[in-house]
Amino acid sequence: MAMPNLGDMMKQIQQAGEKMQDVQKQLEKLVTSGEAGGGMVKVTVNGKQRVLSLWIDPEIMDDAEMVQDLVLAAVNSALEASGRMAQEEISKVAGGMINPQDILKNLGQ
């Protein structure tokens, strides 16, 4: 049984690390959104699941409880879409070399 070539293994690890950095940069650029209440609350997030913007229809501002519920729903919707988008991007860039779940775990997702 042949021993694995350490040089080849190190090269693969380095390439995987470079791909990880590329993926991280890509995820920052990808943007998705979520909304709730028929568009009364809209949230925009990036692929690293950072909230970029939040819009609340001024007409509903007098109902704090409803606003809170709609913000939660819109944020969760946007984060779910972001997670799906991130997995697709990682799979596309990594080409099977990297498990999307590992990267998402590192991002705290």
Side-chain angles (χ1 to χ4, degrees), residues 72-88:
L72 284 175
V75 168
N76 285 328
S77 170
L79 291 176
E80 285 171 19
S82 172
R84 284 191 304 274
M85 187 175 63
Q87 273 196 304
E88 288 169 16

Side-chain angles (χ1 to χ4, degrees), residues 7-23 93-95 97-98 103:
D8 287 348
M9 283 176 49
M10 293 305 289
K11 192 185 285 184
Q12 282 184 329
I13 291 169
Q14 184 180 355
Q15 287 172 345
E18 288 168 5
K19 284 190 180 217
M20 282 270 293
Q21 287 176 341
D22 291 344
V23 169
V93 173
M97 262 178 78
I98 303 168
I103 294 178

